[in-house]
Amino acid sequence: MLTKRIIPCLDVKDGRTVKGVRFEGLRDAGDPVALASRYAREGADELVFLDITATNQKRATLVALVRDVARELDIPFTVGGGIGTISDVEALLMNGADKVSINSAALARPELIDELAARFGSQCIVVAADARFNDADGWQVYTRAGTNNTGRDAVQWCREAADRGAGEILLTSMSNDGTKDGFALDITGAVSRAVTIPVIASGGAGSKQDFTNVFQQAQADAGLAASIFHFGEIGIRELKEHLRRDGIPMRL
Amino acid sequence: MKIAIVDYKGGNVQSVLFALERLGVQATLTADHDVLRRADKVLFPGEGEAASAMKELRAQGLDELLPTLTQPFLGICLGMQLLGRHTQEGGGTDMLGILPFDVVRFQSAAPEHKVPHMGWNNLQTLRSPLFEGLSAEDYVYFVHSYYAPVGDYTIAEAAYPAPFSAAVQHENFYAVQFHTEKSGPVGTRILENFLKL
């Protein structure tokens, strides 16, 4: 039986993980390869690396990182963050990334999704959508790290991305991100029902029950989180054991 | 041991090279017919779309060479599907025909039944030395929208929701639908088992 997936997300800058990873027994918490290997050993189903480097060397450092991670890691990983061209994607995939996620570039020019899917196959093209709720307009999609409201409806955009050939949607609720109050069940469920491709829920995870809820009530295919894993608040193995006890298919 | 990986621009072969490297094995990425013929083992990974893969194989004469190979051969993902006769992908494409299956698309029957079939699924009815040491409790990583039905050639099944061929074999030609190189310790074991064939 196909399992639901648990995906830790690592923010990287200039080839190092950032956002205060506090892990006992890890000699260098800033080393993405060491952290990735540790998560893989603990039972992570996949990893996502989000690159927040903003320098001219971005592409070279990211490609080098992907190579280092791919050399060590025996589970799939996705790379995202400022990826905008076919040649960016090609360099990352050829060096061992399994998937790339695109966000702002896809909203700026949606045909990019069609082009990437045709060139590399849908299976490696993840469209990341950052959604925020407001009373007047409902859930809308934001770009540029959440600073720019595109005015586009989140469900409608995810459906378009899927129609254009995305293989997976990474849906982050900016309204929930950092709150630890749980995933946004309404928008996650709405997107999951609107598309026939897998949906990764992100933003708001604070407890094991939050994952149960997003799988059982919002039909998410995967749950992504960062800080609760980095700070050791929830261990991946204990989370997966909990979810299996709740009747959710898990790889243990 | 000389290991060759078939080079036909079939997607991400770097992960397969790294997986072999972790096992202490150096492999050569090549389309050279002599090198492929002389290798002790041949790996045939693949991602992406069947029609363009077949076009590239034909351009290099590999569609003629591969069926004549006699050493242990391992197709991975698209590299498994290409061993079949025909696929629905791309409006219908004829393939290598080394194994007698036709590849068809998953139909999304329910909202929770997404296509592609993406993620970790367990292997059932294992019947090959390729899976020595493994059981139906072991999970491997799949990403695919098309599949080979179960037949006499099936040596492992997975269910989504109906059973399909997770692995197939005909003589020296072994192939798996999942990504051995991305399936954690279970995938590593399968690669090791293959190298011992």
Side-chain angles (χ1 to χ4, degrees), chain A residues 221-252:
Chain A
D221 298 282
L224 177 145
S227 56
I228 55 161
F229 297 137
H230 301 334
F231 292 99
E233 290 164 31
I234 298 179
I236 291 170
R237 188 159 187 95
E238 60 164 314
L239 170 62
K240 293 180 85 173
E241 283 167 354
H242 173 94
L243 292 170
R244 190 183 260 192
R245 278 196 298 277
D246 281 349
I248 296 161
M250 282 282 133
R251 175 182 74 113
L252 280 168

Side-chain angles (χ1 to χ4, degrees), chain A residues 67 101 110 131 134 142 157-159 164 169 184 193 196 223 227 232:
Chain A
R67 220 178 153 75
S101 86
N134 73 64
Y142 285 66
W157 166 242
C158 291
R159 190 183 284 135
R164 287 183 178 277
I169 300 287
R193 285 187 296 275
T196 59
S227 56

Side-chain angles (χ1 to χ4, degrees), chain A residues 122-127 161 165-169 197-198, chain B residues 115-116 118:
Chain A
S122 292
Q123 81 287 340
C124 60
I125 306 303
V126 181
V127 169
E168 195 169 33
I169 300 287
I197 59 176
Chain B
V115 179
M118 179 185 287

Side-chain angles (χ1 to χ4, degrees), chain B:
Chain B
M1 186 158 50
K2 291 200 290 288
I3 310 287
I5 298 180
V6 183
D7 185 10
Y8 65 107
K9 299 175 180 64
N12 187 351
V13 294
Q14 194 57 59
S15 300
V16 177
L17 283 164
F18 284 147
L20 292 168
E21 197 179 291
R22 288 194 292 272
L23 290 171
V25 176
Q26 286 293 330
T28 311
L29 184 62
T30 183
D32 186 297
H33 290 203
D34 285 334
V35 175
L36 287 168
R37 240 184 243 116
R38 284 198 305 265
D40 298 306
K41 301 275 188 322
V42 173
L43 281 94
F44 185 48
E47 279 173 9
E49 195 264 322
S52 46
M54 279 309 301
K55 199 172 154 194
E56 185 64 29
L57 289 170
R58 289 194 188 102
Q60 308 213 40
L62 293 166
D63 59 322
E64 302 281 334
L65 175 78
L66 297 184
T68 67
L69 294 177
T70 53
Q71 68 274 66
F73 179 104
L74 183 66
I76 300 173
C77 198
L78 182 64
M80 167 178 146
Q81 298 191 358
L82 292 169
L83 301 184
R85 291 183 302 214
H86 183 269
T87 177
Q88 286 181 343
E89 193 174 11
T93 304
D94 287 332
M95 304 187 295
L96 296 170
I98 294 170
L99 278 113
F101 59 76
D102 294 331
V103 173
V104 292
R105 196 171 206 281
F106 282 117
Q107 300 301 323
S108 181
E112 69 275 14
H113 184 230
K114 307 293 182 69
V115 179
H117 170 230
M118 179 185 287
W120 298 80
N121 204 332
N122 60 316
L123 296 172
Q124 305 166 2
T125 55
L126 303 169
R127 40 184 186 267
S128 167
L130 205 53
F131 304 114
E132 199 186 313
L134 302 183
S135 75
E137 293 296 303
D138 287 311
Y139 287 82
V140 290
Y141 189 81
F142 291 86
V143 187
H144 59 126
S145 299
Y146 294 80
Y147 69 96
V150 172
D152 292 342
Y153 44 78
T154 303
I155 54 172
E157 297 173 16
Y160 192 62
F164 65 91
S165 286
V168 297
Q169 186 213 338
H170 172 69
E171 295 172 351
N172 58 312
F173 292 94
Y174 294 77
V176 294
Q177 178 62 67
F178 49 89
H179 286 275
T180 40
E181 75 283 9
K182 287 288 168 178
S183 292
V186 173
T188 304
R189 178 69 195 259
I190 294 168
L191 272 179
E192 280 176 323
N193 288 343
F194 172 72
L195 294 176
K196 280 189 226 150
L197 286 175

Side-chain angles (χ1 to χ4, degrees), chain A residues 14-15 23 34 36-37 39 101 105 111 126 143 151 156 174 187 252:
Chain A
D14 300 318
F23 243 152
S37 301
Y39 282 135
S101 86
E111 297 77 19
V126 181
T143 57
Q156 190 247 335
M174 303 183 62
I187 187 63
L252 280 168

